[in-house]
Amino acid sequence: MVIYFSGTGNSLAIARSIAAATNEQVLPLTQAVREDLTSEKRIGLVYPSYDFNVPPAVRTLVPKLQINARAYVFIIIPCGAQAGNSSWTVRKLLQAKGIRVAYTHKIRVPDNSAIVFGRNPNDQKWKFRRFASRLQTIIDDVKAERHAYHYSWWSPLAWVMGTRRMEEWMLRTFRPAVNESKCIGCGICVKMCPMRNIAIDEKAGIGPHCTACLACLHACPQQAIEAGGKPTIKERQYCHPDIKRSDLSAK
Ligand SMILES: Cc1cc2nc3c(=O)[nH]c(=O)nc-3n(C[C@H](O)[C@H](O)[C@H](O)COP(=O)(O)O)c2cc1C
Ligand code: SF4
Ligand code: SF4
């Protein structure tokens, strides 16, 4: 089983590739926490790096997973550049449940948070350049059930970024807001939000359980969802090229 958490499709695309090559199924993390996975012999976790650490939702949900301590567990981090402590943190969360992670790696993909700083994630396609060879390495390692920690050390900077205070800062910076003058109440963002954190009352309204995945911001057809105090520009909205927005709709 390959479990993923994904806002803009990078993690889902990677989870699907690994699952296809290893005859596994994919499952969103939000659904995996409701299932008994103790009979699974191989468990993958694919989730993005946020601020050198893990998305708040991953930190909350991973401890709820029911998985077998004898399973081969691997973690893959799709990230813009730096994975930081993102696999270390989950290794420790699982270790506290008596589960030892066997293998970790990271893989560079376009950075969906670039939009918050006014940059275009779609201009970063060069990041896919070394993608295929890294993905193949990961697949070969997972198939052979190798044990190795790549990019999974503890770093003090990343630790600071993962403290509650920094996590709150991160959420303040990246948490999107609805520009009501642009919203047409179509409900697409409601379907996209993995946290079921958006409601519609004529206009969309974002609730308190945001994990800053930016799925809603990248998917809104009116560019009505904004973050970092900047208007959202259509050309900068990103979704992994192999993933349809409907694939990402909250299950
Ligand atoms: C709130 C936020 C913080 C991020 N922080 C980092 C980071 O610290 N390092 C990094 O390399 N990429 C960072 N990224 C980029 C994502 O890790 C990257 O785009 C990832 O592939 C997104 O996965 P997804 O498409 O499955 O949602 C961040 C993205 C978001 C939304
Ligand atoms: S997707 Fe955009 S336009 Fe549609 S309801 Fe959400 S914020 Fe409004
Ligand atoms: S409100 Fe938007 S950014 Fe926040 S969790 Fe939902 S989809 Fe992600």
Side-chain angles (χ1 to χ4, degrees):
M1 184 65 68
V2 186
I3 299 165
Y4 68 90
F5 183 82
S6 189
T8 56
N10 291 336
S11 307
L12 173 54
I14 292 161
R16 278 186 177 170
S17 299
I18 299 171
T22 54
N23 290 323
E24 298 286 351
Q25 304 290 314
V26 293
L27 194 61
L29 177 60
T30 44
Q31 197 176 322
V33 290
R34 296 196 296 268
E35 306 216 355
D36 179 357
L37 302 173
T38 49
S39 60
E40 297 291 330
K41 293 191 173 61
R42 185 155 54 188
I43 298 272
L45 285 160
V46 186
Y47 57 87
S49 165
Y50 283 6
D51 294 283
F52 307 121
N53 222 304
V54 296
V58 170
R59 196 189 290 277
T60 313
L61 294 175
V62 161
K64 297 183 181 161
L65 285 172
Q66 297 177 63
I67 54 183
N68 194 316
R70 285 195 297 271
Y72 173 80
V73 180
F74 64 95
I75 295 175
I76 310 302
I77 310 290
C79 59
Q82 299 296 337
N85 285 1
S86 40
S87 58
W88 184 90
T89 298
V90 166
R91 273 209 284 132
K92 294 297 155 190
L93 289 173
L94 290 175
Q95 198 173 301
K97 286 165 62 81
I99 295 155
R100 188 176 182 279
V101 172
Y103 179 87
T104 64
H105 221 320
K106 75 161 189 179
I107 184 160
R108 282 186 82 176
V109 279
D111 183 342
N112 63 357
S113 70
I115 194 169
V116 176
F117 305 107
R119 299 199 306 272
N120 186 350
N122 299 302
D123 283 345
Q124 303 182 38
K125 290 204 173 106
W126 61 269
K127 279 192 184 159
F128 284 119
R129 203 178 47 191
R130 287 196 211 95
F131 178 84
S133 61
R134 172 63 59 88
L135 183 60
Q136 194 54 54
T137 302
I138 290 169
I139 287 171
D140 292 345
D141 287 347
V142 168
K143 268 187 180 166
E145 301 202 348
R146 291 199 179 99
H147 288 238
Y149 292 153
H150 302 282
Y151 300 98
S152 191
W153 52 81
W154 182 86
S155 119
L157 171 64
W159 179 81
V160 170
M161 295 299 285
T163 56
R164 186 159 295 278
R165 186 175 284 194
M166 289 308 283
E167 200 166 276
E168 282 167 7
W169 172 85
M170 184 272 280
L171 280 171
R172 273 201 305 278
T173 308
F174 288 101
R175 183 185 283 131
V178 178
N179 180 332
E180 292 199 357
S181 66
K182 292 184 182 170
C183 175
I184 56 166
C186 69
I188 288 175
C189 55
V190 177
K191 291 194 195 124
M192 295 301 296
C193 178
M195 307 308 293
R196 298 181 187 277
N197 187 42
I198 307 181
I200 296 271
D201 181 9
E202 288 184 32
K203 309 280 179 182
I206 296 179
H209 305 296
C210 182
T211 196
C213 71
L214 305 183
C216 55
L217 180 149
H218 283 280
C220 172
Q222 301 297 313
Q223 295 77 47
I225 303 188
E226 302 171 352
K230 296 198 175 64
T232 297
I233 293 168
K234 189 173 183 204
E235 290 67 34
R236 295 183 188 156
Q237 286 175 303
Y238 173 80
C239 185
H240 186 284
D242 297 341
I243 299 296
K244 294 196 229 66
R245 303 254 189 234
S246 54
D247 297 339
L248 286 164
S249 296
K251 305 282 187 307

